[in-house]
Amino acid sequence: MAMLDWAALGGYFLVMLLIGLWSHRRVGNVSDYFTGGGKMPWWLSGISHHMSGYSAAVFVAYAAIAYSYGITVYVWAFLPLAFGTAVGAWLFAPRWQRLRKRYAVASPLEYLARRYDIPTQQALAWSGALLKVFDVAAKWASVAVLLNVFTGVSMTVGILLTGIVTLLYCTVGGLWADALTDFGQFLIQGLAALTMLWVVLDRLGDGPAGLVTLWDRLPDGHGKPLVGPYTATFLGAYVVVKLFEYNGGMWNLAQRYMATDSPKAARRSAGLSALLYVVWPAVLLFPPVAAAVLMPDIADPEKVYALMAESYLPAGLVGLTLAGMFSHTMAMASSDANAVSAVVTRDIIPAVVRRARELPPATALLLARVCTVVFISVSMAVAVEADHFGGVLGIIVGLVAAVMGPISIPMLLGLLPAFRRFGPRAALSSWALGLLGYVLVKFVLDSADQTLVIVTPLATSLVVYLVVGLISPEPDDTADAIVAALSPAGGGDDERPTADPAPRPAAAPGTTD
């Protein structure tokens, strides 16, 4: 890269660090650190939700699919995100906001101890935290691939550089730093992506009309919505997985709704994110789709976006584009780190160490920051060995999508009135048998069918939850009160006061209510 490119990249990292330092002043307790004190504007929450939903994997794994198969990646990978988030705007987002406001929780899993029981909460917390280590590791590996192409630095150095910068700003500033850097990253990524789009259209020779004329020049099958291994069954499974994942199964996204100041704001936040999922991935993925015409002989499709930037963009814009690619990874990884830290600090440690249940606020905040450091450090170590876990796409599509169902189904459905009598037996059975289904298909049967790997744990978990809950209901006054408190009275967004139906089984550190 030229000096202007390095200057653009260095300036980007510096701005992220400054935002982290500024956000530090807004963090006075655990609630501020994990949920922004419930003061985040809906538009910032919506942009942060969107930016935290995908990473540099878009420019590596998904760009490779766009180059090799065409528009199918937009159809099966991103339209489900728009659909799931839009459904969540009506069904889940307001409930997450009410949960934070009415029960003073700072972790999406805190309510599970009362809604089900502590063993259920712990099972979901431990397995979900482990899953997140691999999920974030895939993001570090993605951005390291890009940095390697642009600068020639090793994968290990790329992982360490990105991880350490993210570590500094998100540890200092908490959710406010995450959200504000998400917004800055959205602006940077916007400029970089629109520049790349304009340059690619110019290379196609038809100007803006290239958006239409390209389709006649693509290889066979590249204009089809579903092609190759990406079948209608795969799409259907992916839609259901993302419905749960993007409405709370991915804990950091639930935090965005919890951080807003009203159910209406949470709903608007989700609506904005859903709209962005329709528009923005199409902008990002058009260049690698067009690369099948412009650069038809790329040996490693995962490097297509980086090679296009190097070949087509002038000095300065290459660094800006790389910064834009960094932005997605750092947005998702920092928000995941904050969410996992919330779960570990508020849910896991108090259940294991009795003395941690009544920590002073300052000590609880220090513990939260330490957990963030540990999580990011472990995920970077796993990223260095990403190839041993199936590579970037193998982790994201295989492991994360497959295991997400068993972890998120009891948590999300537990918020809804229709399932208020579904108790710990249904939740734990759903979680355990769903994970067992994944292990059997992936490791015992050694299946290479992505559809089967994703469908089996999801379907198993959902069916078991429904069957056990219907056959063996567990009526509970506390669960009924929680579900009722999270549902709108008369279908509105009222702010009726709600008494806590039962004391917390294990008080979270730093809790003052």
Side-chain angles (χ1 to χ4, degrees), residues 7 43 292 350 430:
W43 57 268
S430 169

Side-chain angles (χ1 to χ4, degrees), residues 485-496:
L486 302 183
S487 302
D493 280 329
D494 64 292
E495 291 303 320
R496 63 190 178 200

Side-chain angles (χ1 to χ4, degrees), residues 19-177:
I19 289 175
L21 291 173
W22 183 87
S23 301
H24 179 71
R25 299 164 55 190
R26 308 194 62 152
V27 178
N29 54 46
V30 170
S31 176
D32 293 337
Y33 191 77
F34 290 134
T35 63
K39 301 174 183 177
M40 192 171 293
W42 68 268
W43 57 268
L44 180 59
S45 171
I47 290 175
S48 181
H49 183 284
H50 178 75
M51 288 295 292
S52 298
Y54 53 175
S55 68
V58 173
F59 306 101
V60 179
Y62 293 121
I65 297 173
Y67 179 78
S68 303
Y69 291 97
I71 67 170
T72 183
V73 67
Y74 173 75
V75 174
W76 67 257
F78 293 101
L79 288 184
L81 305 189
F83 172 77
T85 307
V87 171
W90 162 69
L91 196 60
F92 293 111
R95 286 181 165 85
W96 283 120
Q97 193 280 334
R98 294 187 189 99
L99 183 66
R100 192 270 309 161
K101 187 167 187 177
R102 295 175 181 178
Y103 295 106
V105 300
S107 154
L109 270 63
E110 267 186 87
Y111 94 103
L112 294 176
R114 288 174 292 176
R115 173 59 182 84
Y116 296 114
D117 57 17
I118 292 178
T120 301
Q121 179 203 42
Q122 292 301 297
L124 296 180
W126 282 91
S127 57
L130 179 61
L131 172 65
K132 278 297 179 184
V133 168
F134 288 90
D135 187 21
V136 173
K139 310 307 186 298
W140 299 137
S142 296
V143 82
V145 169
L146 296 169
L147 193 60
N148 175 260
V149 174
F150 280 108
T151 68
V153 302
S154 68
M155 290 284 291
T156 301
V157 172
I159 290 167
L160 290 175
L161 174 62
T162 313
I164 289 172
V165 172
T166 306
L167 179 73
L168 291 174
Y169 79 74
C170 76
T171 301
V172 170
L175 191 68
W176 273 111

